[in-house]
Amino acid sequence: MELKITCIPGDGIGPEIVAEAKKVLNKTAEKFGHNITYTDILMGGASIDVHGVPLTDEAIATAKSADAVLMGSIGGDTTTSPWYKLEPSLRPEAGLLKIRKELNLFANLRPAILYDELADACPLKEEISKAGFDMMIMRELTGGLYFGERKTVTEDGVRKAIDTLAYNEEEIRRIAIKGFDIARKRNKKVTSVDKANVLDSSRLWRAVVEEVAKDYPDVTLEHMLVDNCAMQLVKNPAQFDVILTENMFGDILSDEASMVTGSIGMLASASLNDSKFGLYEPSHGSAPDIAGKNIANPIATILSAAMMLRYTFDLDKEADAVEAAVKQVLKEGYRTIDIMSEGCKQVSCSEMGDLLAERI
Ligand code: IPM
Ligand code: MG
Protein backbone atom coordinates (compact mmCIF):
# COMPACT_ATOMS: atom_id res chain seq x y z
CA MET A 1 0.00 0.00 0.00
CA GLU A 2 1.10 3.57 -0.71
CA LEU A 3 1.00 5.78 2.39
CA LYS A 4 1.19 9.51 1.75
CA ILE A 5 1.97 11.31 4.98
CA THR A 6 2.48 15.00 5.69
CA CYS A 7 4.71 15.61 8.72
CA ILE A 8 4.67 18.61 11.02
CA PRO A 9 7.81 18.36 13.16
CA GLY A 10 6.87 21.70 14.77
CA ASP A 11 8.58 23.24 17.79
CA GLY A 12 10.39 22.19 20.95
CA ILE A 13 10.81 18.43 21.15
CA GLY A 14 8.57 18.01 18.06
CA PRO A 15 11.34 17.34 15.50
CA GLU A 16 13.04 14.75 17.77
CA ILE A 17 9.92 12.73 18.47
CA VAL A 18 8.66 12.84 14.87
CA ALA A 19 12.04 11.49 13.70
CA GLU A 20 11.59 8.47 16.00
CA ALA A 21 8.01 7.91 14.83
CA LYS A 22 9.26 7.90 11.22
CA LYS A 23 11.91 5.35 12.17
CA VAL A 24 9.23 3.01 13.56
CA LEU A 25 6.85 3.64 10.66
CA ASN A 26 9.60 2.91 8.13
CA LYS A 27 10.44 -0.37 9.82
CA THR A 28 6.75 -1.30 9.89
CA ALA A 29 6.36 -0.45 6.19
CA GLU A 30 9.44 -2.50 5.33
CA LYS A 31 8.20 -5.47 7.33
CA PHE A 32 4.66 -5.46 5.94
CA GLY A 33 5.48 -4.41 2.37
CA HIS A 34 4.21 -0.82 2.23
CA ASN A 35 5.68 2.30 0.73
CA ILE A 36 5.62 5.60 2.61
CA THR A 37 6.27 9.07 1.23
CA TYR A 38 6.68 11.95 3.65
CA THR A 39 6.36 15.67 2.97
CA ASP A 40 7.25 18.07 5.78
CA ILE A 41 5.39 21.33 6.38
CA LEU A 42 6.01 24.11 8.87
CA MET A 43 3.52 25.01 11.57
CA GLY A 44 3.59 26.96 14.80
CA GLY A 45 6.72 28.86 15.82
CA ALA A 46 8.79 27.18 13.12
CA SER A 47 6.47 28.70 10.50
CA ILE A 48 6.33 32.09 12.24
CA ASP A 49 10.14 32.29 12.10
CA VAL A 50 10.16 31.65 8.35
CA HIS A 51 6.86 33.07 7.05
CA GLY A 52 5.64 35.38 9.82
CA VAL A 53 2.44 33.35 10.21
CA PRO A 54 1.85 30.06 12.10
CA LEU A 55 0.44 28.22 9.06
CA THR A 56 0.47 29.16 5.38
CA ASP A 57 -2.19 28.32 2.80
CA GLU A 58 0.43 26.30 0.89
CA ALA A 59 1.09 24.22 4.00
CA ILE A 60 -2.65 23.55 4.38
CA ALA A 61 -2.85 22.52 0.70
CA THR A 62 0.06 20.09 1.20
CA ALA A 63 -1.64 18.62 4.27
CA LYS A 64 -4.91 18.22 2.36
CA SER A 65 -3.18 16.40 -0.49
CA ALA A 66 -1.88 13.67 1.85
CA ASP A 67 -3.74 10.72 3.38
CA ALA A 68 -2.85 11.77 6.91
CA VAL A 69 -0.81 14.22 8.95
CA LEU A 70 1.70 13.22 11.63
CA MET A 71 2.50 16.03 14.02
CA GLY A 72 5.05 16.48 16.80
CA SER A 73 4.12 19.52 18.84
CA ILE A 74 3.96 23.26 18.48
CA GLY A 75 4.46 26.29 20.70
CA GLY A 76 7.09 27.61 23.06
CA ASP A 77 7.47 29.08 26.51
CA THR A 78 4.56 31.53 26.76
CA THR A 79 6.41 33.87 29.13
CA THR A 80 9.75 34.11 27.34
CA SER A 81 9.25 33.23 23.67
CA PRO A 82 8.91 36.18 21.24
CA TRP A 83 6.10 34.25 19.50
CA TYR A 84 3.82 35.22 22.39
CA LYS A 85 4.43 38.93 21.88
CA LEU A 86 2.53 38.65 18.57
CA GLU A 87 -1.20 39.24 18.38
CA PRO A 88 -3.21 36.09 19.25
CA SER A 89 -4.08 35.22 15.63
CA LEU A 90 -0.36 35.03 14.74
CA ARG A 91 0.80 32.87 17.66
CA PRO A 92 1.76 29.18 17.28
CA GLU A 93 -1.56 27.80 18.65
CA ALA A 94 -3.51 29.73 15.99
CA GLY A 95 -1.88 27.45 13.40
CA LEU A 96 -3.17 24.37 15.21
CA LEU A 97 -6.71 25.75 15.48
CA LYS A 98 -6.60 26.73 11.81
CA ILE A 99 -5.52 23.31 10.57
CA ARG A 100 -8.20 21.62 12.70
CA LYS A 101 -10.87 23.89 11.19
CA GLU A 102 -9.58 23.85 7.59
CA LEU A 103 -9.32 20.06 7.54
CA ASN A 104 -12.66 19.70 9.36
CA LEU A 105 -11.09 17.56 12.09
CA PHE A 106 -14.10 17.58 14.38
CA ALA A 107 -13.47 14.32 16.23
CA ASN A 108 -10.57 14.23 18.66
CA LEU A 109 -9.74 10.85 20.17
CA ARG A 110 -7.56 10.88 23.26
CA PRO A 111 -6.98 7.50 24.86
CA ALA A 112 -5.93 7.48 28.51
CA ILE A 113 -4.57 4.11 29.53
CA LEU A 114 -2.87 2.92 32.68
CA TYR A 115 -0.13 0.54 31.53
CA ASP A 116 0.52 -2.29 34.00
CA GLU A 117 4.27 -1.66 33.79
CA LEU A 118 3.78 2.02 34.65
CA ALA A 119 1.14 1.59 37.34
CA ASP A 120 3.59 3.05 39.88
CA ALA A 121 3.49 6.36 38.03
CA CYS A 122 -0.26 6.70 38.67
CA PRO A 123 -0.73 9.39 41.33
CA LEU A 124 -3.92 7.80 42.67
CA LYS A 125 -4.11 5.63 45.76
CA GLU A 126 -3.34 2.00 45.04
CA GLU A 127 -6.84 0.90 46.05
CA ILE A 128 -8.10 2.98 43.08
CA SER A 129 -5.30 2.41 40.59
CA LYS A 130 -5.22 -1.36 41.03
CA ALA A 131 -8.49 -1.60 39.08
CA GLY A 132 -6.60 -0.13 36.07
CA PHE A 133 -8.33 1.93 33.41
CA ASP A 134 -8.54 2.31 29.67
CA MET A 135 -10.72 5.14 28.46
CA MET A 136 -11.16 7.09 25.27
CA ILE A 137 -11.95 10.78 25.50
CA MET A 138 -13.88 11.85 22.41
CA ARG A 139 -13.61 15.61 22.25
CA GLU A 140 -15.52 17.76 19.75
CA LEU A 141 -12.75 19.82 18.16
CA THR A 142 -14.08 22.39 15.72
CA GLY A 143 -16.96 24.06 17.57
CA GLY A 144 -17.97 25.51 20.91
CA LEU A 145 -16.08 28.25 22.72
CA TYR A 146 -12.95 27.82 20.60
CA PHE A 147 -14.67 28.87 17.39
CA GLY A 148 -17.65 30.94 18.56
CA GLU A 149 -17.81 34.69 18.06
CA ARG A 150 -15.47 36.56 20.36
CA LYS A 151 -14.65 40.19 20.98
CA THR A 152 -13.28 42.62 23.51
CA VAL A 153 -15.04 45.96 23.77
CA THR A 154 -15.06 48.96 26.07
CA GLU A 155 -18.46 50.03 27.33
CA ASP A 156 -18.66 53.27 29.33
CA GLY A 157 -14.96 53.05 30.01
CA VAL A 158 -15.20 49.45 31.25
CA ARG A 159 -13.43 46.70 29.26
CA LYS A 160 -15.54 43.67 28.51
CA ALA A 161 -14.64 40.40 26.75
CA ILE A 162 -17.14 37.98 25.21
CA ASP A 163 -16.67 34.39 24.04
CA THR A 164 -19.59 32.42 22.63
CA LEU A 165 -20.38 28.74 23.15
CA ALA A 166 -22.51 27.69 20.19
CA TYR A 167 -23.34 24.23 18.79
CA ASN A 168 -25.86 23.20 16.19
CA GLU A 169 -27.43 19.77 16.25
CA GLU A 170 -25.46 18.56 13.22
CA GLU A 171 -22.14 19.30 14.92
CA ILE A 172 -23.32 17.36 17.98
CA ARG A 173 -24.77 14.48 15.99
CA ARG A 174 -21.64 13.76 13.94
CA ILE A 175 -19.33 13.57 16.98
CA ALA A 176 -21.92 11.53 18.90
CA ILE A 177 -22.09 9.01 16.01
CA LYS A 178 -18.28 8.68 16.04
CA GLY A 179 -18.38 8.24 19.82
CA PHE A 180 -20.96 5.45 19.68
CA ASP A 181 -19.16 3.76 16.76
CA ILE A 182 -15.96 3.68 18.77
CA ALA A 183 -17.71 2.52 21.94
CA ARG A 184 -19.11 -0.37 19.93
CA LYS A 185 -15.55 -1.53 19.19
CA ARG A 186 -14.56 -1.15 22.85
CA ASN A 187 -16.55 -1.81 26.02
CA LYS A 188 -19.89 -0.47 24.72
CA LYS A 189 -20.39 2.38 27.14
CA VAL A 190 -20.66 6.10 26.42
CA THR A 191 -20.54 8.71 29.17
CA SER A 192 -21.74 11.96 27.65
CA VAL A 193 -20.41 14.90 29.65
CA ASP A 194 -22.13 18.27 29.73
CA LYS A 195 -23.35 21.09 31.96
CA ALA A 196 -27.03 20.62 31.21
CA ASN A 197 -28.04 22.03 34.61
CA VAL A 198 -26.87 25.47 33.41
CA LEU A 199 -26.12 25.71 29.68
CA ASP A 200 -28.52 25.65 26.72
CA SER A 201 -25.77 24.25 24.49
CA SER A 202 -25.48 21.32 26.92
CA ARG A 203 -29.23 20.72 26.95
CA LEU A 204 -29.19 20.47 23.15
CA TRP A 205 -26.09 18.25 23.39
CA ARG A 206 -27.89 15.88 25.74
CA ALA A 207 -31.04 15.75 23.58
CA VAL A 208 -29.12 15.00 20.38
CA VAL A 209 -26.93 12.38 22.07
CA GLU A 210 -30.14 10.67 23.30
CA GLU A 211 -31.44 10.62 19.71
CA VAL A 212 -28.23 9.09 18.36
CA ALA A 213 -28.21 6.51 21.18
CA LYS A 214 -31.47 5.03 19.81
CA ASP A 215 -29.46 3.61 16.89
CA TYR A 216 -27.06 1.89 19.29
CA PRO A 217 -29.20 -0.26 21.59
CA ASP A 218 -26.14 -2.40 22.35
CA VAL A 219 -24.24 0.59 23.80
CA THR A 220 -25.01 1.88 27.31
CA LEU A 221 -25.39 5.65 27.55
CA GLU A 222 -25.05 7.67 30.71
CA HIS A 223 -24.96 11.43 31.19
CA MET A 224 -22.62 13.11 33.62
CA LEU A 225 -22.17 16.76 34.57
CA VAL A 226 -18.70 18.02 33.81
CA ASP A 227 -17.83 19.00 37.39
CA ASN A 228 -18.85 15.56 38.61
CA CYS A 229 -16.82 13.99 35.78
CA ALA A 230 -13.73 15.88 36.96
CA MET A 231 -14.21 14.25 40.37
CA GLN A 232 -15.06 10.78 39.06
CA LEU A 233 -11.86 10.71 36.99
CA VAL A 234 -9.81 10.67 40.18
CA LYS A 235 -12.30 8.74 42.31
CA ASN A 236 -13.10 5.85 39.99
CA PRO A 237 -11.50 6.10 36.54
CA ALA A 238 -12.23 2.42 35.82
CA GLN A 239 -15.93 3.28 35.33
CA PHE A 240 -15.22 5.04 32.00
CA ASP A 241 -15.07 3.61 28.51
CA VAL A 242 -15.84 6.42 26.02
CA ILE A 243 -16.23 9.95 27.38
CA LEU A 244 -18.07 12.08 24.80
CA THR A 245 -17.87 15.82 25.30
CA GLU A 246 -17.66 19.29 23.77
CA ASN A 247 -14.46 21.11 22.91
CA MET A 248 -13.60 23.05 26.08
CA PHE A 249 -14.71 20.37 28.54
CA GLY A 250 -12.72 17.86 26.49
CA ASP A 251 -9.62 20.03 26.57
CA ILE A 252 -9.70 20.13 30.36
CA LEU A 253 -10.84 16.56 31.06
CA SER A 254 -8.31 15.04 28.65
CA ASP A 255 -5.47 16.78 30.48
CA GLU A 256 -6.85 15.55 33.77
CA ALA A 257 -7.18 11.98 32.47
CA SER A 258 -3.63 12.03 31.12
CA MET A 259 -2.28 13.23 34.45
CA VAL A 260 -4.11 10.43 36.21
CA THR A 261 -2.16 7.92 34.12
CA GLY A 262 1.02 9.55 35.45
CA SER A 263 2.73 9.13 32.10
CA ILE A 264 1.62 11.81 29.66
CA GLY A 265 4.64 10.96 27.49
CA MET A 266 2.80 7.77 26.54
CA LEU A 267 -0.50 9.21 25.36
CA ALA A 268 -1.45 9.44 21.69
CA SER A 269 -4.26 11.28 19.95
CA ALA A 270 -6.08 11.38 16.64
CA SER A 271 -8.19 14.13 15.12
CA LEU A 272 -10.49 12.84 12.41
CA ASN A 273 -12.87 14.24 9.81
CA ASP A 274 -15.81 12.55 8.10
CA SER A 275 -13.60 10.46 5.84
CA LYS A 276 -10.50 8.48 6.76
CA PHE A 277 -8.28 11.54 6.88
CA GLY A 278 -6.72 12.35 10.25
CA LEU A 279 -4.11 14.38 12.07
CA TYR A 280 -2.17 12.38 14.63
CA GLU A 281 -0.18 13.92 17.45
CA PRO A 282 0.95 13.16 21.00
CA SER A 283 -1.32 14.49 23.77
CA HIS A 284 1.58 16.31 25.38
CA GLY A 285 3.05 19.68 24.42
CA SER A 286 6.34 20.88 22.97
CA ALA A 287 8.33 20.81 26.26
CA PRO A 288 10.72 23.63 25.22
CA ASP A 289 12.75 23.14 28.41
CA ILE A 290 14.04 19.74 27.25
CA ALA A 291 14.15 20.41 23.49
CA GLY A 292 17.29 19.32 21.64
CA LYS A 293 18.56 17.17 24.54
CA ASN A 294 17.52 13.82 23.09
CA ILE A 295 15.73 12.89 26.32
CA ALA A 296 12.06 13.30 25.32
CA ASN A 297 9.78 10.29 25.33
CA PRO A 298 8.85 9.50 21.70
CA ILE A 299 6.29 6.82 22.61
CA ALA A 300 3.20 9.09 22.51
CA THR A 301 4.10 10.11 18.94
CA ILE A 302 4.86 6.52 17.98
CA LEU A 303 1.50 5.39 19.39
CA SER A 304 -0.12 8.26 17.45
CA ALA A 305 1.48 6.83 14.31
CA ALA A 306 -0.08 3.47 15.29
CA MET A 307 -3.48 5.18 15.51
CA MET A 308 -2.80 6.53 12.01
CA LEU A 309 -2.17 3.03 10.69
CA ARG A 310 -5.40 1.85 12.30
CA TYR A 311 -7.83 4.70 11.60
CA THR A 312 -6.64 6.22 8.30
CA PHE A 313 -5.11 3.20 6.58
CA ASP A 314 -7.12 0.35 8.17
CA LEU A 315 -3.81 -1.45 8.79
CA ASP A 316 -4.80 -3.12 12.05
CA LYS A 317 -2.05 -5.76 12.04
CA GLU A 318 0.59 -3.10 11.53
CA ALA A 319 -0.88 -0.94 14.30
CA ASP A 320 -0.98 -3.98 16.60
CA ALA A 321 2.71 -4.60 15.84
CA VAL A 322 3.66 -1.06 16.91
CA GLU A 323 1.59 -1.26 20.08
CA ALA A 324 3.01 -4.68 20.90
CA ALA A 325 6.56 -3.33 20.46
CA VAL A 326 5.78 -0.58 22.99
CA LYS A 327 4.50 -3.11 25.54
CA GLN A 328 7.52 -5.32 24.88
CA VAL A 329 10.05 -2.53 25.41
CA LEU A 330 8.34 -1.53 28.66
CA LYS A 331 8.32 -5.14 29.83
CA GLU A 332 12.03 -5.38 29.08
CA GLY A 333 12.53 -2.44 31.43
CA TYR A 334 13.57 0.33 29.03
CA ARG A 335 12.42 3.80 30.05
CA THR A 336 12.97 7.39 29.00
CA ILE A 337 13.68 9.72 31.89
CA ASP A 338 10.06 10.90 32.36
CA ILE A 339 8.88 7.36 33.18
CA MET A 340 12.11 6.09 34.73
CA SER A 341 11.87 4.06 37.91
CA GLU A 342 14.25 2.07 40.04
CA GLY A 343 15.69 -1.07 38.47
CA CYS A 344 14.88 0.05 34.91
CA LYS A 345 17.27 0.97 32.10
CA GLN A 346 17.24 4.62 31.13
CA VAL A 347 17.47 5.35 27.40
CA SER A 348 17.45 8.45 25.24
CA CYS A 349 14.75 9.51 22.78
CA SER A 350 16.60 8.06 19.78
CA GLU A 351 17.55 4.87 21.63
CA MET A 352 13.88 4.32 22.46
CA GLY A 353 13.07 4.74 18.76
CA ASP A 354 15.77 2.20 17.84
CA LEU A 355 14.55 -0.32 20.43
CA LEU A 356 10.99 -0.04 19.17
CA ALA A 357 11.95 -0.30 15.50
CA GLU A 358 14.01 -3.42 16.27
CA ARG A 359 10.96 -5.06 17.86
CA ILE A 360 8.58 -4.56 14.93
C1 IPM B 1 -4.82 20.76 23.11
C2 IPM B 1 -4.16 22.08 23.38
C3 IPM B 1 -4.75 23.11 22.44
C4 IPM B 1 -6.24 23.17 22.72
C5 IPM B 1 -4.11 24.49 22.53
C6 IPM B 1 -2.63 24.42 22.27
C7 IPM B 1 -4.76 25.49 21.62
O1 IPM B 1 -4.32 22.45 24.71
O2 IPM B 1 -4.67 20.25 21.99
O3 IPM B 1 -5.48 20.24 24.01
O4 IPM B 1 -6.67 23.84 23.66
O5 IPM B 1 -6.99 22.54 22.00
MG1 MG C 1 -5.27 20.98 25.91
Side-chain angles (χ1 to χ4, degrees), residues 93 96-97 100 110 139 141 146 247 251 254-255 281:
E93 286 71 13
L96 183 57
L97 297 183
R100 286 175 181 168
R110 297 189 168 181
R139 168 189 177 194
L141 202 59
Y146 278 60
N247 203 345
D251 179 44
S254 62
D255 264 20
E281 57 171 318

Side-chain angles (χ1 to χ4, degrees), residues 91-328:
R91 293 180 195 168
E93 286 71 13
L96 183 57
L97 297 183
K98 188 170 171 186
I99 202 166
R100 286 175 181 168
K101 195 69 174 178
E102 290 279 334
L103 301 180
N104 197 25
L105 304 171
F106 64 85
N108 185 215
L109 282 61
R110 297 189 168 181
I113 302 166
L114 186 65
Y115 286 87
D116 285 347
E117 291 82 2
L118 302 180
D120 283 351
C122 177
L124 302 178
K125 282 195 191 133
E126 206 196 319
E127 61 195 76
I128 301 173
S129 68
K130 72 169 186 262
F133 57 86
D134 177 348
M135 68 183 98
M136 178 71 88
I137 307 214
M138 295 278 309
R139 168 189 177 194
E140 200 292 327
L141 202 59
T142 52
L145 274 172
Y146 278 60
F147 294 95
E149 212 179 302
R150 76 174 98 254
K151 61 180 176 188
T152 304
V153 293
T154 304
E155 284 173 358
D156 301 327
V158 178
R159 284 175 301 158
K160 175 175 167 182
I162 303 161
D163 294 287
T164 323
L165 203 182
Y167 271 107
N168 69 42
E169 57 180 310
E170 279 149 22
E171 291 171 310
I172 301 168
R173 191 169 295 112
R174 64 184 184 175
I175 182 80
I177 289 171
K178 283 247 192 223
F180 278 92
D181 280 344
I182 284 178
R184 210 168 233 178
K185 292 192 192 165
R186 295 172 45 97
N187 290 321
K188 300 192 169 52
K189 180 177 172 192
V190 170
T191 305
S192 175
V193 174
D194 61 41
K195 189 71 186 172
N197 53 347
V198 179
L199 303 175
D200 261 17
S201 56
S202 282
R203 287 188 272 269
L204 180 63
W205 181 278
R206 206 175 264 222
V208 174
V209 171
E210 293 271 354
E211 286 162 24
V212 171
K214 293 200 178 97
D215 293 331
Y216 297 83
D218 51 324
V219 177
T220 307
L221 168 66
E222 68 175 19
H223 300 285
M224 192 178 278
L225 295 172
V226 62
D227 46 353
N228 183 29
C229 183
M231 294 195 292
Q232 295 299 325
L233 277 171
V234 289
K235 194 170 165 227
N236 177 15
Q239 71 184 287
F240 296 110
D241 179 23
V242 171
I243 292 182
L244 174 66
T245 193
E246 66 91 41
N247 203 345
M248 182 82 179
F249 298 159
D251 179 44
I252 299 167
L253 294 176
S254 62
D255 264 20
E256 185 187 1
S258 68
M259 216 50 220
V260 168
T261 69
S263 43
I264 186 165
M266 302 286 300
L267 300 180
S269 86
S271 305
L272 309 175
N273 71 8
D274 259 329
S275 67
K276 289 270 167 196
F277 187 90
L279 181 147
Y280 300 83
E281 57 171 318
S283 282
H284 59 72
S286 61
D289 51 324
I290 59 162
K293 296 186 177 162
N294 194 23
I295 59 170
N297 185 349
I299 295 180
T301 317
I302 290 164
L303 289 172
S304 302
M307 288 182 91
M308 169 188 288
L309 295 170
R310 197 181 296 288
Y311 292 109
T312 290
F313 298 108
D314 281 321
L315 296 173
D316 286 339
K317 275 207 293 291
E318 289 78 344
D320 290 345
V322 175
E323 289 167 2
V326 169
K327 291 207 177 108
Q328 181 66 29

